[in-house]
Every structure is written in C-alpha cells, then in structure tokens.
C-alpha cells in the first residue's frame, strides 16, 4: 500500500479548525487508516493493520473519543482528529450508532451526562401513562361487581310494644340492621352524611383522587379528619368486600367503585351506604342507629340529630358520648369530640350548599342533641324471649311469612304486648315467689315450682301480658303457652254454658237427640252433691267401667253436700253435680262449648265422664281467652299477639284482615255464667281474688295438688294464672305434687284459691288501676229449674258452705267398691296410670272422675288430658303451642 494512502498529508497550520477538517476528511473514507499505539498513522515496521469489522471500528472510536484533547503531543493533528470526532464518530472517522434511550447521554460531560433530556422525560411519562391506562382498562374489563355479601343483606327483626316503643331487636345473625328505603331517610340525614363524607358525591365517578389528596394534606396539617374514600367506595367496601387493609383489597375497591359508580344510580348507592354503615352501639344502618341513640325511627330524625349520627361514622368508639373502649374514649373526651364534629358538620353543610347559614346557626345555638344512654338491643332475658317466640309463632301460623323468611330478618313486628302490664304481672309473680317459695331452704317441697299466666283483652283478643317463666334464657318452655298442665275445675263454666245452650237430654230420647227436644238448664237447677255419687248416663243407667265396676265420683275431702243448685255447686266447686250435668248434656256438647269459647281443640282431653271436671290442658293464653268470651257477653275473639308486620317499609301483614268477632254464646248464656262466677269471687272459693271492683272467676286444682289455677275477669280484662311443679330439665319429666309447697308441711295442700288467686288479684289491681269501674250486664232469666238424678223436688237444696273451709279441689277418686249391678253396654273409660306421668294411657276406671284422670279410650294421645309430659307443642303441630296444630 502506498505511503500517501497510509498517512494523509498534515495541514500546515495547527489548531482546532485543522483537526476538524482532518476528521471530516477521514470520515469520508470507506476504510480507516491503522494507527500505531502512539497515535501515528503508520503501523510498526511499516506493516498495514486492518480492522475486524464494524464492532472493532466502534470500539476504536470509543477509545479515541475517551482521550483527552492533545494528550499525545507526538500525535500531532491526529490527536485532535480523535478529539474532534467525539459524539459523532469514532477515532476512525466512522459515526457512532444512535441508542434507543440516550441515557446516560452521549456527548455530554459531568452532571449533564446524567441529566435526562426533555425528550426522555416526556417519553417516559407517556410510556408509563399508557401502561397505567392499559392496566386500568384491563382491570375494569376483568373485574366484575361481585354479589353482595350475605352479611350486608342480613337484617334484624325489630319488635315493638303496643305503644310503638321498641321492645327488642332480634334474629337475623350478628348485625343489628334494619334496611329502609331512601324515602324513609330524611334529607337532613342524607345532607349531613354527604357533606361530612363526600361533598362531590353526585358529581364524582365513584373515586375522587382530589378528595384523597385533600384528605392527606388536611391530615398532614392537623386539620379536621376527612375520609379520602368516597361514599361509593365505602358502600363497595361494606357491601362487596371485607374490612381488611391490604393493597389487594384497596385495588379491588377502586376498580369496583369505578364500575359501580358508572352503572348504579346515585340514590341506590347512597341508600346502600346509609343502610350498611356502622354507627356504633351495635347498630348497622341509620334505622338501627336512630333507635340505638334516640329511640325513634330514622324518618323522624331532626337535622341536628342527623349531624350527630353522621359524626359517629368517623369512628363510633371515639364519638359516642356514652364512652367507648380505651383511655382516649372516656365519656368526657367523647362528648367533647362529638360536639365539635357535630358543629363542624352543620357548618360544613353550609359550605357545600346543603343547609342555609341561618338554619345551621339555629341548630348550633340550640343544645347538642345528646343521645340516650345505651341499652342492650338484643337482650332476651326475662320475659322478652317468651314474647318474641310467641310473636314469631303467631306470624308463621297466621301469615305467608315463613320461619326461613323471619330468620333472614328485616321485619318490623308490632305486637299487642303492654309493657306496663307485663311488668305488673311479673312483679306479682316475683312477690309471691320471694315471700313464700324458698327452694334452698325447702328443696323437697319448693324446688321446681313454676308459674304461668296470660292476660287477654275481651272483644279484641289482644294478648296484653304473659308470664312465661323465670327467665327465657334459663327456662326454655313458655309457661303461658301449651305446657300439658291440666286446669281442673276452671273447666266447669264450659259445662254450665253447654247446659244453658244445648240443654239436658230427655231420658227417653235418643242419645243424639236435637237441641229442640232438650231442656235448657237454669243455674237454679238442683243436683245431688253427695260424695261418692253413683254416676249415671243421661238415661238413668249406671255408668260402668270396662271391668264392670260402678263409677262413683268423689268430692274434695269426701264431703257430702246433699241437694245443691248449680250456682252453689260452682260457688264451692262441688264435683258430683257437674260430672253428672256433663253426662246429662253430653260431653261432646261440653267439648263444643269449650271450643266455641276459644279453647284449642288440640289441647282438649278425649271424651270421658271426667272431661267435664278439667282433664284438659289448655294454655294460660287460651284459658284467659275463653273466659274473655264470657266477659264479652258471648262474643269470641281468638287471642293474638301481632297487630302488623312490615318489611322494608311495606306492610306485609295486618291482623285486621283476619279479625273476626264471632258469637260463641247468646248473651243470656254468657251473662248467666258470669253471674255464677261473680258469686264464686264474692262468696265462694275465689274470695282471695277480690280486687275492689266487680270480678268473676273460678279456682281449679287437680288431684294430688299437681296443678292449681285461678282464671277470672273484669269487663275489660281476662287473666289466667297457673301453678305447677316439674323439673323441666329432667330427661323423664313428670309433674310433682305441690303438697307442702310454701310451708314445708306435707299435709298443707295448694289450691287455686291460694297462690294463683293471690297473684291474679295483685296483678289485676295494678292493671285496672285508673280504669273506669264497670259492672257486668244483669243476666236475664234462662232455662228451667230441673232436678238431676237423685235430686228430689221435695228436698231443700244446700245453699250454705259446710263448717269446714270449702275447697275447690276436684279430687274425685271414685269408690273402689264394685257395684252389684250388671254392667251395661254403655261405653266406659279404660284403665290408665297416673295421666300426668309419661306413658300414661288414659283414665283409670278405678279412679273414674279423678280430676287428673285421663283420656279414656284414647288416653295418652298428647291432646292435653292424659299427658304428663309438659310439652310445648300439641300433637300434630309443627309450630307449637296455642298457635300450632289447629289453632
């Protein structure tokens, strides 16, 4: 290779211009001249050096550009050519290839080499913005609004007293919530929450970045706390997500909030948030909060009260004036915080245009709307559990609302229960228990003693009060409902009503002779009241049992009363006249009279002679309701416990739709029964039930003192009180004798005239206090004075009590002496064990007429008379109690 190609001629002049021209000349060649290690254009020993390609040329250019200008004085102009080629080309004259991202920046020295260009900054921003937009788009496309959590839809059922005050919140899981439509939430509440939580609610798209930024800045400055989340975000969190604070949950919240904000109406979102937010005191939703703090419905909240409730959303534990958990949540500190937040919200409403300044100043100038002291809303202790169960059973049996629907909650149940009368009845029972019953000192006698009672309003059937037991959380059987406890002689008024309605049969007529051929009975009719009276059928034939033995009926204390009219027999609760009267009228007619009065057929014993003496076991509620029929001059209204039921503000049940006042008896019949029962209270076994105003009633006690009752009424109120003894937690339950209860003396018996009548009187005095004194209607004469079997028209009737204190106890154990007469073909009861013991199979003929007798041929069928199991459900009933089965 020639010398002039190996080494270009050197310029005559030096300097930068010469170096630049030399570099330009060199870059125009297709191949660069090899250089020596010293920077000269010739290779050692005169040999020509070739490059290995573009990579080698690029490396050579980089090595050349790294040299300091004029670093090699021997290189002459060559060193300047290398320096002059930096950034545009290599030392070999070839241009440097551009990088996609020029960073660190080529051609720059020092800090400028690391300072990004505006192109780089802009490109980077656009790149990441595109990624963000793409990610959001993909997220919105992939993320779907999930199904609302079951917990966000679960609500409580709210039960109200008859006066509209809230009784209890119950059912529906762990959350105290009642969902109401937005129309039920006042504008003041809506405005307060929007102003405090999300002023741009109606303008944003579900997420408010500026709001989040403002919240951060405001908190950094130490100003009032504001949530960075929109109402939509909070609604999404409450409805669709959990309360965790993870990044994943936050991202989901943002995506779902954007989608919800774009697809749902703002009104629906606001209503959802107000119904799911937690306000403290266990209250979820503004309806529950209104009740928890102000004992009112949400729709009645004032703007000032609404501002306070909106304040609690900021942290209930720190804003409840009643105090919270932790040292910082004292009553004083919480009250101060609540007042400041409440005032701030009222001013904030002015700032965002949701309240006039004048109104705001008016509320601020008024007193802080201090809420009431907290109460346990879900407490079922005492009688409350019995009341809610009673109401639930009634709803299920009398409406289209199923148990499953009730369990889901959301119902507002307005009951008939009078809270004052409830307290009065419970107080009366507790008084007797405290003064007379001591299971610790006298466990042999006083242990397991129980009371049950109910109070029903005549003509309406409203159950205004019950006593279900000591405590619904300890004693699970509602003693006011079906228990299997026989009612004894309190059943006798139905026998008298049947006799005055249907009349007695003609001895020569057929068994099923029509009523037109019967003789209606007057209360003045004479019957034989002697002890161990031979029981006869209506036609005069002696009644025999299946073993051919005569049936002899006992009176309490084996007392002979001689010839006695029915009025006096009721007065002293003599058994023999009424068991014979039942046979003369027909026990089927007695049963019909009891059902017409209001007793549940499923709670009645089977038909035997002792049916007339109270072998049936109606509940206290049904017994009080049946006596209320007499108080209403024969008009019968079935007992009920629920007036109306609402669901989400819509009425789904109204008792008025089912209400029916029927005529059970002619007024003359009912009023004559009342007159006879009035005599019982004034002069008979019920004198301990006198209350200083007209009252009528009947005592009842079963054999061996296994139960005792008093049921009575005034024209305005009917009440039944029962007493018995049973270990309700025993595996094999049976009713125990109450002899010695309250005294510890085995010979001391318990009658309806004792503790039951005492409780009845104490309660009725308080319940009727301040009520107008009303007299019972004067009865019209009714029926004919007949003479029962063995009652001679010439023998004067007994009208006075014996020398001993009368007892109403219908302990009717018949004579064990068999009759010499030949058994007839008349039907007779079957043998039985003690019908109050499990496994009892009916009435024992040897105990014929025994008041705890049984169910005859159908004994032990669980329909009331023969069962000893204090079950809460009559047979064939899924719903239980007096609302189950047939009624």
């Amino acid at each position: 290779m020639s010398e002039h190609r190996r080494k270009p001629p050197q310029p005559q002049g030096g300097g930068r211009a010469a170096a630049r021209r030399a570099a330009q000349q060199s870059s125009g060649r297709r191949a660069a001249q090899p250089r020596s290690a010293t920077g000269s254009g010739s290779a050692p020993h005169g040999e020509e050096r070739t490059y290995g390609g573009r990579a080698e040329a690029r490396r050579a250019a980089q090595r050349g550009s790294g040299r300091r200008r004029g670093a090699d004085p021997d290189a002459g102009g060559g060193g300047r050519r290398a320096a002059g080629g930096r950034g545009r080309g290599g030392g070999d004259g070839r241009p440097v290839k551009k990088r996609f991202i020029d960073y660190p920046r080529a051609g720059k020295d020092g800090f400028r080499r690391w300072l990004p260009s505006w192109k780089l900054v802009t490109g980077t921003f656009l790149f990441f913005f595109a990624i963000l937009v793409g990610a959001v788009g993909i997220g919105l496309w992939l993320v779907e609004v999930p199904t609302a959590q079951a917990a966000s839809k679960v609500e409580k059922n709210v039960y109200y007293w008859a006066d509209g005050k809230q009784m209890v919140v119950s059912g529906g899981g762990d959350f105290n919530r009642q969902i109401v439509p937005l129309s039920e939430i006042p504008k003041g509440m809506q405005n307060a929450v929007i102003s405090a939580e999300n002023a741009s609610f109606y303008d944003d798209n579900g997420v408010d970045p500026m709001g989040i930024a403002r919240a951060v800045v405001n908190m950094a400055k130490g100003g009032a706390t504001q949530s960075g989340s929109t109402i939509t975000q909070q609604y999404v969190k409450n409805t669709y997500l959990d309360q965790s604070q993870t990044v994943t949950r936050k991202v989901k919240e943002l995506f779902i909030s954007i989608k919800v904000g774009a697809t749902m109406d703002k009104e629906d979102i606001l209503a959802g948030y107000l119904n799911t937010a937690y306000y403290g005191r266990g209250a979820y939703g503004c309806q529950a909060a209104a009740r928890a703090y102000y004992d009112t419905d949400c729709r009645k909240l004032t703007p000032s009260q609404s501002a306070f409730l909106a304040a609690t959303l900021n942290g209930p534990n720190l804003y409840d004036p009643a105090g919270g958990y932790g040292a910082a949540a004292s009553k004083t500190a919480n009250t101060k915080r609540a007042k400041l937040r409440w005032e701030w919200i009222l001013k904030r409403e002015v700032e965002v245009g949701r309240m006039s300044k004048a109104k705001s100043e008016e509320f601020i100038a008024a007193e802080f709307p201090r809420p009431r002291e907290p109460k346990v809303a879900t407490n079922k202790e005492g009688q409350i559990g019995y009341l809610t169960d009673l109401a639930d059973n009634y709803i299920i049996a009398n409406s289209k609302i199923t148990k499953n629907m009730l369990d889901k909650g959301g119902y507002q149940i307005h009951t008939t229960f009078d809270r004052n009368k409830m307290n009065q009845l419970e107080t009366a029972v507790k008084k007797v228990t405290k003064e007379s019953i001591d299971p610790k000192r006298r466990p042999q006698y006083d242990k397991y003693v129980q009371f049950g009672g109910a109070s029903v309003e005549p003509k309406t059937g409203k159950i205004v009060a019950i006593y279900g037991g000591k405590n619904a959380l300890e004693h699970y059987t509602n003693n006011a409902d079906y228990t299997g406890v026989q009612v004894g002689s309190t059943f006798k008024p139905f026998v008298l009503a049947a006799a005055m309605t249907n009349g007695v049969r003609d001895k020569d007529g057929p068994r099923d002779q029509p009523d037109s051929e019967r003789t209606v009975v007057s209360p003045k009719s004479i019957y034989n009241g002697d002890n161990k009276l031979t029981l006869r059928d209506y036609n005069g034939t002696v009644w025999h049992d299946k073993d051919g033995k005569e049936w002899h009926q006992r009176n309490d204390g084996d007392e002979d009363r001689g010839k006695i009219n029915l009025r006096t027999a009721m007065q002293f609760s003599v058994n023999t006249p009424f068991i014979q009267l039942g046979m003369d009228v027909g026990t089927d007619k007695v049963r019909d009279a009891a059902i017409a009065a209001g007793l549940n057929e499923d709670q009645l014993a089977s038909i035997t002679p002792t049916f007339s003496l109270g072998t049936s076991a109606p509940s206290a509620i049904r017994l009080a309701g049946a006596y209320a029929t007499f108080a209403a001059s024969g008009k019968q209204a079935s007992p009920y416990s629920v007036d109306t039921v609402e669901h989400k503000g819509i009425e789904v049940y109204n008792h008025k739709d089912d209400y029916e006042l029927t005529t059970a008896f002619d007024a003359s019949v009912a009023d004559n029964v009342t007159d006879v029962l009035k005599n019982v209270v004034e002069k008979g076994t019920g004198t301990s039930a006198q209350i200083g105003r007209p009252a009528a009633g009947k005592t009842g006690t079963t054999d061996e003192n296994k139960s005792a009752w008093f049921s009575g009424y005034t024209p305005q109120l009917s009440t039944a009180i029962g007493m018995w003894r049973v270990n309700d937690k025993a595996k094999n339950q049976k009713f125990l004798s109450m002899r010695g209860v309250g005294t510890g003396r085995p010979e001391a018996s318990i009658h309806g005239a004792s503790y039951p009548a005492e409780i009845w009187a104490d309660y009725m005095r308080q319940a009727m206090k301040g009520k107008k004194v009303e007299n019972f209607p004067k009865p019209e004469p009714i029926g004919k004075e007949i003479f029962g079997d063995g009652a001679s028209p010439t023998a004067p009737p007994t009208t006075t009590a014996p020398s001993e204190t009368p007892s109403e106890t219908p302990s009717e154990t018949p004579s064990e002496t068999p009759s010499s007469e030949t058994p007839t073909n008349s039907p007779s009861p079957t043998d039985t064990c003690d019908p109050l013991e499990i496994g009892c199979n009916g009435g024992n003929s040897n105990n014929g007429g025994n008041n705890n007798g049984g169910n005859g041929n159908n004994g032990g069928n669980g329909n009331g008379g023969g069962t000893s199991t204090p079950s809460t459900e009559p047979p064939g009933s899924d719903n239980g109690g007096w609302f189950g089965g047939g009624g």
Side-chain angles (χ1 to χ4, degrees):
M1 183 175 293
S2 63
E3 181 66 21
H4 73 271
R5 287 185 59 86
R6 284 178 41 246
K7 186 176 181 181
Q10 301 290 330
Q12 297 299 317
R16 293 185 179 180
R20 200 161 41 243
R21 285 192 298 271
Q24 291 172 351
Q25 292 173 1
S26 175
S27 63
R29 297 174 183 172
R30 296 181 58 88
Q33 292 289 340
R35 293 182 303 166
S36 67
T38 61
S40 65
S42 59
H45 308 292
E47 293 180 3
E48 182 177 352
R49 181 181 177 185
T50 60
Y51 289 112
R54 291 185 179 180
E56 182 64 24
R58 192 160 49 248
R59 285 193 295 271
Q62 290 173 352
R63 285 194 299 269
S65 64
R67 297 173 182 169
R68 293 175 55 223
R69 293 175 183 172
D72 187 358
D74 295 331
R80 292 190 177 277
R81 283 197 303 273
R86 186 188 304 122
R88 291 174 176 247
D92 58 356
R94 293 177 60 85
V96 177
K97 185 178 181 181
K98 289 185 178 182
R99 291 176 293 170
F100 181 72
I101 300 177
D102 185 21
Y103 192 82
R105 297 175 66 186
K108 300 294 182 181
D109 289 325
F111 79 93
R112 288 181 300 175
R113 178 175 172 80
W114 302 99
L115 183 67
S117 66
W118 68 268
K119 292 182 179 180
L120 181 61
V121 171
T122 303
T124 302
F125 172 78
L126 293 175
F127 174 74
F128 282 106
F129 180 76
I131 291 178
L132 179 62
V133 171
V136 170
I138 294 173
L140 289 174
W141 178 61
L142 293 177
V143 173
E144 295 183 358
V145 178
T147 303
Q149 295 185 88
S152 70
K153 291 186 175 182
V154 172
E155 306 175 58
K156 291 289 186 181
N157 294 323
V158 187
Y159 299 80
Y160 298 92
W161 295 105
D163 62 2
K165 293 291 184 179
Q166 182 173 303
M167 177 202 304
V168 69
V169 177
S170 179
D174 298 329
F175 295 99
N176 175 16
R177 178 190 292 122
Q178 303 94 52
I179 297 175
V180 294
L182 193 63
S183 59
E184 292 288 312
I185 303 174
K187 280 292 184 181
M189 184 68 191
Q190 299 178 38
N191 290 335
V193 172
I194 291 173
S195 300
E197 299 290 313
N198 183 192
S200 63
F201 169 69
Y202 280 104
D203 300 319
D204 62 45
N205 294 318
V207 176
D208 183 13
M210 294 303 296
I212 297 174
R214 281 196 304 270
V216 172
V217 172
N218 201 38
M219 286 188 288
K221 290 180 178 180
T225 304
Q226 286 180 262
S227 173
S229 298
T230 63
I231 286 176
T232 303
Q233 287 176 263
Q234 295 180 64
Y235 164 69
V236 166
K237 180 176 65 176
N238 294 340
T239 306
Y240 304 111
L241 305 172
D242 56 37
Q243 302 298 314
S244 63
Q245 297 297 321
T246 62
V247 174
T248 302
R249 205 274 294 159
K250 288 286 186 182
V251 171
K252 284 184 179 178
E253 178 187 305
L254 287 172
F255 284 156
I256 296 173
S257 297
I258 294 171
K259 209 157 192 176
V260 167
T263 58
M264 282 184 67
D265 291 337
K266 288 290 186 179
E267 287 74 13
D268 294 336
I269 295 173
L270 182 59
Y273 173 63
L274 293 174
N275 277 306
T276 56
Y278 182 60
Y279 296 77
R281 297 192 180 185
Y284 290 81
C286 58
Q287 171 64 18
R291 279 292 175 183
Y293 287 98
Y294 294 109
D295 193 24
T296 188
D297 287 326
C298 182
R299 65 177 181 272
K300 297 179 181 178
L301 289 171
T302 67
S304 182
Q305 292 171 334
S306 298
F308 165 73
L309 291 182
T312 63
L313 294 173
N314 203 42
N317 188 58
L318 298 176
Y319 287 88
D320 186 347
Y325 298 101
S330 65
K331 287 186 177 182
T332 303
N334 277 16
T335 300
K336 183 179 180 180
R337 270 190 295 266
K339 287 183 176 179
L340 290 174
R341 179 75 175 176
W342 162 77
E343 184 176 338
W344 176 83
I345 291 175
L346 290 173
K347 292 179 178 178
R348 175 71 174 164
E349 290 187 67
V350 177
E351 292 178 13
V352 299
R354 293 190 171 273
M355 181 182 287
S356 68
K357 186 175 182 181
K359 275 290 183 183
S360 175
E361 292 175 348
E362 178 184 337
F363 290 129
I364 294 174
E367 290 187 6
F368 170 69
R370 182 176 292 277
R372 68 172 184 170
E373 288 298 311
K375 293 184 178 181
V376 181
T378 56
N379 185 7
K380 280 197 171 186
E381 290 183 340
Q383 302 301 303
I384 299 299
Y386 303 126
L387 295 177
T388 57
D389 287 347
L390 203 60
D392 288 350
N393 287 341
Y394 179 82
I395 292 170
I396 293 169
N398 293 275
S399 73
K400 295 180 180 179
I401 302 170
T402 65
K403 185 179 185 303
N404 185 49
M405 294 166 67
L406 270 181
D407 289 342
K408 290 181 179 179
Y411 292 91
Q412 294 79 49
I413 301 166
H414 298 268
T415 72
T416 61
F417 306 128
D418 186 311
R419 54 179 175 168
N420 292 328
K421 289 182 174 63
M422 282 292 303
N423 292 332
Q424 290 160 355
L425 181 54
E426 186 175 19
T427 300
V429 175
K430 286 182 176 179
K431 179 184 175 183
V432 164
T433 303
K434 183 178 180 181
E435 293 177 351
S436 305
I437 310 300
D438 193 342
K440 292 183 178 180
R441 287 181 52 203
R442 300 186 296 268
Q444 182 180 353
Y445 303 103
D446 292 359
K447 196 173 183 180
Y448 307 131
V449 172
Q450 297 184 30
F451 294 93
S455 201
V456 176
E457 190 176 272
K459 295 184 180 180
T460 67
K462 289 183 179 180
I463 304 171
V464 297
I466 65 166
Y467 183 81
K470 185 177 180 180
N471 189 332
L473 299 182
E474 298 175 8
H475 173 72
Y476 307 119
T477 300
N478 185 352
N479 290 345
D481 210 335
Y482 180 77
T483 58
V485 179
Q486 295 180 350
V487 295
S489 292
T490 57
F491 199 83
K492 289 174 180 174
F494 306 117
V495 183
L496 182 59
M500 291 190 291
T501 299
N502 303 106
V504 296
R505 291 172 285 189
D506 183 1
K507 291 184 178 182
D508 298 326
R511 177 174 292 276
D512 57 349
Q513 59 189 272
D515 293 346
S516 60
E517 298 177 9
R518 294 169 175 248
T519 303
V520 174
V521 174
S522 165
K524 297 179 182 180
S525 297
I526 308 299
Y527 270 76
N528 193 339
D530 284 342
N531 184 50
K532 295 184 179 180
L533 183 69
T534 300
L535 183 64
R536 298 178 182 274
D537 202 351
Y538 78 99
N539 59 9
T541 58
V542 176
W543 189 271
H544 291 77
D545 64 19
K546 66 181 182 65
D547 295 325
K549 297 178 180 179
E550 288 187 0
W551 190 302
H552 294 274
Q553 181 60 52
R554 288 184 56 197
N555 286 328
D556 181 57
D558 291 330
E559 293 177 340
D560 288 323
R561 298 300 182 103
K563 307 302 181 287
I564 190 171
N565 66 37
L566 295 177
R567 180 183 178 87
T568 306
M570 187 77 76
Q571 179 181 344
F572 301 121
S573 200
V574 185
N575 295 323
T576 49
F578 281 98
I579 192 171
Q580 186 60 60
L581 180 63
M583 296 297 288
D584 294 345
V585 174
T587 47
D588 58 332
K589 297 296 184 182
V590 175
R591 178 196 59 198
D592 293 345
I595 294 172
L599 295 189
N600 190 327
E601 185 174 3
D602 288 343
Q603 296 174 1
L604 297 180
S606 296
I607 298 300
T608 67
T610 54
F611 181 82
S612 299
L613 298 177
T615 55
S616 296
S619 67
I621 292 171
R622 285 290 180 178
L623 187 59
Y627 271 51
T629 301
F630 297 132
S633 295
K635 300 295 184 182
Q636 195 272 331
S638 295
Y640 75 101
S641 59
V642 176
D643 272 320
T644 60
V645 180
E646 298 173 1
H647 189 257
K648 301 186 184 302
I650 301 173
E651 186 175 273
V652 292
Y653 174 79
N654 193 317
H655 173 71
K656 291 181 181 179
D657 299 335
D658 299 328
Y659 177 72
E660 184 178 5
L661 187 64
T662 61
T663 300
F665 309 108
D666 289 342
S668 59
V669 172
D671 293 344
N672 271 280
V673 171
T674 294
D675 187 61
V676 171
L677 297 184
K678 181 182 175 184
N679 188 54
V680 172
V681 174
E682 293 176 348
K683 302 175 183 178
T685 59
T687 54
S688 56
Q690 294 177 1
I691 58 174
R693 64 169 65 211
K698 184 68 185 75
T699 53
T701 307
T702 57
D703 189 46
E704 297 183 23
N705 276 194
K706 290 186 177 180
S707 63
W709 290 81
F710 186 85
S711 187
Y713 52 92
T714 66
Q716 301 103 314
L717 193 63
S718 175
T719 302
I721 302 295
M723 176 183 179
W724 56 91
R725 188 168 172 241
V726 64
N727 179 6
D728 62 306
K729 293 182 174 61
K731 185 176 181 180
N732 297 315
Q733 297 180 20
K734 65 177 182 178
F735 292 101
L736 306 172
S737 173
M738 291 191 294
R739 291 191 184 277
V741 168
T743 63
R745 299 192 303 273
E747 71 280 1
S749 59
I750 295 295
H751 302 111
S754 56
Y755 298 132
E758 183 181 339
I759 292 171
W760 186 93
D762 284 347
Y763 162 68
M764 290 293 283
R765 287 190 196 100
Q766 295 300 315
M768 301 307 298
K769 193 173 184 179
K771 304 289 185 183
K772 181 182 177 182
V773 176
E774 294 185 16
N775 292 310
F776 293 111
K778 186 176 180 179
E780 298 178 1
I782 189 173
K784 183 179 179 181
E785 297 179 22
I786 67 167
F787 293 86
D789 184 71
S792 171
T794 59
T798 301
T799 58
T800 59
S803 57
E804 296 181 9
T805 303
S807 170
E808 80 286 356
T809 309
S811 178
E812 305 101 356
T813 304
S815 169
E816 295 182 0
T817 305
S819 171
S820 60
E821 297 182 20
T822 304
T824 66
N825 293 326
S826 302
S828 61
T830 59
D831 288 334
T832 180
C833 59
D834 185 341
L836 287 177
E837 294 182 358
I838 291 178
C840 178
N841 292 317
N844 190 329
S845 63
N846 290 331
N847 288 325
N850 190 319
N851 201 38
N852 69 349
N855 297 336
N857 294 328
N858 293 320
N861 67 358
N863 285 337
T867 178
S868 66
T869 305
S871 171
T872 58
E873 295 185 357
S877 168
D878 291 329
N879 296 325
W882 60 281
F883 292 126

